[in-house]
Amino acid sequence: MEFIDYYKVLGLEKTASQEDIKKAYRKLARKFHPDLNPNDKEANKRFQQINEANEVLSDPEKRKKYDQYGKDWAHADAYEQARKQGAGGAGGFGGGGAGGFGGGQTWSSEGFDASDYFSGAGDGRFSDFFESLFGGAGGRRSSGTQGKFRGQDYQAELHLSLREANTTHKRIITIDGKDIRITVPAGVENGQMIKLKGYGSPGVNGGPNGDLFLTFVIAEDPQFKRIGNDLYATVHLPLYTAVLGGEVTIDTMDGKVKLKVKAETQNGSKTRLKGKGFPVYKKEGEKGDLFVTYEIDIPTNLTDQQKALFQQLSDLSAR
């Protein structure tokens, strides 16, 4: 039976925080996901190990037992109970001490619920080490019953434009041949992940379904730049309007609006439109601001008369 170091699987030290574990799992799960490596057996094996490692290390209680008992972590409660009662012999735990169980002996599954520990589809995609703890391919429990298998979690991406992310709307995504209708809330961010409980791989032997982790990928917009809930845009301003003042019509996410432009507006000047930015996620009615930068256009293809007028202005300014 091969013992798997779950910390090494995720490329982490034992001192890793829960946030470190989460980040490492997401990065590796995406890299080795079967959908991206359909014919790569080694990648599929790595994906299985990554899920195992995350199943244990992301749960503080399981991680504590794993750190203390190593390969026998899943039996920690039963071992402690047996130790307190002084249990031993053929029906209980062997005399091997805290390191593990006696060789060749049977053990009772009473009090254990394998669904608390299993992650995956239960079709041979677990390591011998993981299955041996619960009577899988590496061994069977003396009770003769099969453990429940939790379905494998799925990872998927949903690509949106910035304007699509600006409004709450319905989308249909296809996962494993099944159409799933979801509501995309306005204000989702690029890289944001949500969990759809029960939409992963089906469980086995009555085990619960896995979950679907959906990551939003939002494309850059040619007109607006988003930073947090604020939007930034550049508006071209005719020279005459910049000098004399007037109005300019600009685009916002909600449609066109007119802005008053002060006389003698300088190139690079900025103005803020409060509440015309991006929706705040799951806070209906709240929006960020839109910041507009004016870029003044210098007229081209001037007539002789226009050039003469500019020359007059230049002469007047020099006096």
Side-chain angles (χ1 to χ4, degrees):
M1 177 183 68
E2 178 187 4
F3 172 72
I4 297 177
D5 187 331
Y6 288 147
Y7 289 101
K8 287 185 178 179
V9 168
L10 296 181
L12 298 170
E13 300 292 334
K14 279 194 172 184
T15 55
S17 66
Q18 287 297 310
E19 186 62 28
D20 293 333
I21 292 170
K22 184 187 297 184
K23 288 180 179 179
Y25 169 70
R26 289 178 179 175
K27 180 180 178 181
L28 292 172
R30 182 178 297 181
K31 179 179 179 180
F32 293 99
H33 195 284
D35 289 348
L36 300 179
N37 306 275
N39 300 313
D40 190 334
K41 292 183 179 179
E42 188 61 31
N44 289 342
K45 181 180 178 181
R46 285 277 285 134
F47 185 72
Q48 160 247 309
Q49 291 178 342
I50 291 162
N51 275 323
E52 282 186 25
N54 182 65
E55 176 74 14
V56 176
L57 300 185
S58 64
D59 185 313
E61 190 63 30
K62 294 177 189 176
R63 181 183 181 184
K64 181 180 178 182
K65 293 175 183 177
Y66 177 78
D67 288 344
Q68 184 174 358
Y69 292 96
K71 67 183 181 63
D72 295 325
W73 69 272
H75 311 312
D77 293 341
Y79 174 75
E80 285 298 322
Q81 182 179 2
R83 186 176 62 81
K84 290 177 182 178
Q85 294 174 353
F93 300 102
F101 302 100
Q105 296 178 351
T106 59
W107 58 280
S108 171
S109 62
E110 183 177 357
F112 287 94
D113 182 1
S115 66
D116 290 339
Y117 303 103
F118 273 75
S119 175
D123 55 0
R125 282 179 281 180
F126 294 105
S127 66
D128 291 341
F129 163 61
F130 201 74
E131 289 186 326
S132 69
L133 298 179
F134 304 100
R140 292 293 175 189
R141 296 184 294 182
S142 62
S143 63
T145 60
Q146 287 186 310
K148 297 178 181 179
F149 288 72
R150 180 182 181 276
Q152 180 180 336
D153 290 337
Y154 287 159
Q155 302 271 346
E157 292 182 345
L158 179 58
H159 291 254
L160 302 171
S161 68
L162 187 65
R163 293 178 186 273
E164 287 173 329
N166 181 63
T167 59
T168 298
H169 64 283
K170 304 284 187 181
R171 292 292 288 265
I172 295 178
I173 58 175
T174 302
I175 302 294
D176 208 14
K178 181 173 65 175
D179 288 342
I180 302 173
R181 182 183 295 273
I182 66 170
T183 298
V184 180
V188 294
E189 295 187 19
N190 183 46
Q192 181 177 342
M193 178 182 287
I194 63 172
K195 181 174 76 172
L196 301 177
K197 189 173 179 62
Y199 283 95
S201 175
V204 176
N205 295 332
N209 291 352
D211 300 325
L212 169 62
F213 291 88
L214 186 65
T215 301
F216 294 104
V217 180
I218 301 175
E220 292 186 3
D221 188 85
Q223 190 169 6
F224 298 101
K225 181 179 180 181
R226 178 186 179 186
I227 300 179
N229 296 313
D230 294 327
L231 294 175
Y232 294 80
T234 298
V235 172
H236 290 268
L237 197 63
L239 175 65
Y240 313 110
T241 304
V243 173
L244 303 174
E247 286 185 343
V248 63
T249 301
I250 69 167
D251 290 322
T252 72
M253 282 288 186
D254 301 321
K256 296 183 180 295
V257 298
K258 286 185 177 182
L259 286 182
K260 288 186 176 181
V261 179
K262 295 180 180 179
E264 301 179 3
T265 293
Q266 301 298 305
N267 188 53
S269 296
K270 293 179 174 62
T271 186
R272 183 179 75 166
L273 281 70
K274 192 171 182 179
K276 291 295 183 180
F278 216 70
V280 180
Y281 181 68
K282 287 194 173 180
K283 290 188 178 181
E284 189 174 353
E286 290 190 31
K287 288 189 175 185
D289 301 330
L290 170 60
F291 292 85
V292 173
T293 299
Y294 289 123
E295 186 174 296
I296 299 174
D297 292 334
I298 303 300
T300 58
N301 299 319
L302 297 176
T303 64
D304 290 340
Q305 184 179 4
Q306 287 173 322
K307 291 179 181 179
L309 291 173
F310 272 108
Q311 185 62 52
Q312 292 180 32
L313 286 174
S314 175
D315 294 340
L316 289 171
S317 298
R319 292 180 182 177

